[in-house]
């Protein structure tokens, strides 16, 4: 399968714990995006990379969130001191030009 | 500030008929528009896109129309099939798709056999 992959698919954690998600983009894609989706809403932009450079971060993103793409390939998204409001589907997408292709997402539940 | 709006939360269409999903946007800087289809517990699947230099793009059963003066786009699916039942999201971007996507809230399409 050569699509975008995300790991884990599901994560249940207790409030205050740290969590880390991984995204592996389509191999020739230089852009990688993170989005968050809550019930009844469309995906909301969090941050994106072109190769290893983080080019934009949403103003809505708390400083508890950090993302990296150290070698311009896979990316990680870390959430520190999780809160119940962080419960959502976290989506990763990649592109070369134009269309973004999404992974299956990581469903985070914070208890 | 909802820059991309899908005002119909749901739509039901008979199998074999045409489905028309609508989307409005407010930001005149958007120049690239996309439609995605989403099943529960899966990521969005890209369907079709259109650049602001065009007013129509067609791919099989799917056609997207763009009316820049009205800041409106629509997705036509014909003929509609049961497998088309899903949530459809409209999205917009600047720089011809090389920036972040701004999504609408989605329309749930149900195809009635």
């Amino acid at each position: 399968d050569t699509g975008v992959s995300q790991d884990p698919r599901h994560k249940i954690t207790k409030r205050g714990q740290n969590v880390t998600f991984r995204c592996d983009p389509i191999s020739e894609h230089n852009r990688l995006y993170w989005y968050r989706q809550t019930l009844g809403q469309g995906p909301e932009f969090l941050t994106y990379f072109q190769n290893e450079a983080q080019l934009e971060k949403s103003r809505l993103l708390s400083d508890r969130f950090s993302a990296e793409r150290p070698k311009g390939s896979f990316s990680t998204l870390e959430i520190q001191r999780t809160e119940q409001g962080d419960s959502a589907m976290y989506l990763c997408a990649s592109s070369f030009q134009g269309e973004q292709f999404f992974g299956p997402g990581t469903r985070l539940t914070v208890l | 500030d909802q820059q991309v709006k899908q005002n119909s939360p749901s739509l039901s269409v008979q199998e074999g008929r045409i489905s028309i999903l609508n989307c409005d946007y407010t930001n005149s800087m958007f120049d690239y528009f996309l439609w995605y289809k989403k099943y529960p517990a899966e990521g969005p699947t890209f369907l079709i896109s259109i650049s602001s230099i065009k007013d129509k793009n067609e791919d099989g059963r799917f056609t997207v129309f763009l009316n820049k003066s009205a800041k409106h786009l629509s997705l036509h699916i014909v003929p509609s099939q049961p497998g088309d039942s899903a949530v459809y999201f409209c999205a917009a971007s600047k720089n011809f798709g090389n920036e972040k996507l701004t999504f609408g809230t989605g329309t749930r399409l149900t195809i009635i056999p």
Side-chain angles (χ1 to χ4, degrees):
Chain A
D1 187 288
T2 57
V4 178
S5 62
Q6 293 186 244
D7 185 69
R9 295 291 306 275
H10 303 274
K11 179 70 176 179
I12 300 173
T13 191
K14 292 183 179 179
R15 186 164 49 94
Q17 298 294 304
N18 299 344
V19 294
T20 300
F21 310 140
R22 176 179 171 125
C23 171
D24 287 89
I26 294 170
S27 60
E28 64 268 24
H29 286 183
N30 59 347
R31 290 186 178 85
L32 186 149
Y33 302 79
W34 286 98
Y35 295 84
R36 175 174 62 191
Q37 185 176 19
T38 54
L39 199 61
Q41 301 297 315
E44 175 189 34
F45 169 77
L46 294 178
T47 188
Y48 94 96
F49 295 83
Q50 180 165 304
N51 300 312
E52 66 274 11
Q54 188 173 17
L55 295 189
E56 186 176 352
K57 191 173 174 180
S58 169
R59 293 191 305 273
L60 302 175
L61 204 59
S62 156
D63 59 6
R64 296 182 297 104
F65 287 70
S66 62
E68 294 183 343
R69 193 182 184 197
K71 297 182 180 178
S73 57
F74 74 92
S75 175
T76 57
L77 177 69
E78 181 182 17
I79 309 174
Q80 296 183 326
R81 305 181 303 281
T82 53
E83 301 173 357
Q84 287 185 323
D86 297 331
S87 294
M89 174 75 86
Y90 289 83
L91 294 162
C92 175
S94 71
S95 72
F96 179 67
Q97 282 184 333
E99 306 84 50
Q100 295 180 22
F101 295 89
F102 283 81
T106 295
R107 167 73 63 189
L108 173 66
T109 302
V110 181
L111 301 176
Chain B
D1 176 28
Q2 192 72 23
Q3 297 185 67
V4 178
K5 302 178 185 179
Q6 293 177 258
N7 292 319
S8 297
S10 62
L11 175 68
S12 294
V13 175
Q14 287 288 138
E15 181 179 359
R17 307 292 290 267
I18 184 170
S19 296
I20 300 176
L21 296 96
N22 293 303
C23 178
D24 297 292
Y25 62 97
T26 57
N27 190 335
S28 57
M29 298 298 291
F30 289 142
D31 55 19
Y32 193 72
F33 304 90
L34 308 90
W35 284 94
Y36 286 86
K37 173 181 179 180
K38 189 177 186 302
Y39 294 116
E42 295 184 11
T45 300
F46 169 73
L47 280 176
I48 192 168
S49 61
I50 188 167
S51 163
S52 59
I53 61 175
K54 295 186 174 182
D55 54 17
K56 176 183 175 181
N57 189 26
E58 193 172 353
D59 183 1
R61 297 186 298 115
F62 302 94
T63 303
V64 56
F65 295 91
L66 175 62
N67 182 333
K68 289 188 293 292
S69 60
K71 294 190 176 67
H72 177 83
L73 63 154
S74 61
L75 174 68
H76 293 208
I77 306 172
V78 56
S80 300
Q81 299 174 353
D84 296 330
S85 294
V87 178
Y88 288 77
F89 289 98
C90 169
S93 177
K94 303 175 189 175
N95 196 17
F96 293 101
N98 290 319
E99 295 190 14
K100 65 187 179 188
L101 297 177
T102 300
F103 283 84
T105 52
T107 297
R108 179 175 300 280
L109 175 65
T110 302
I111 305 302
I112 304 165

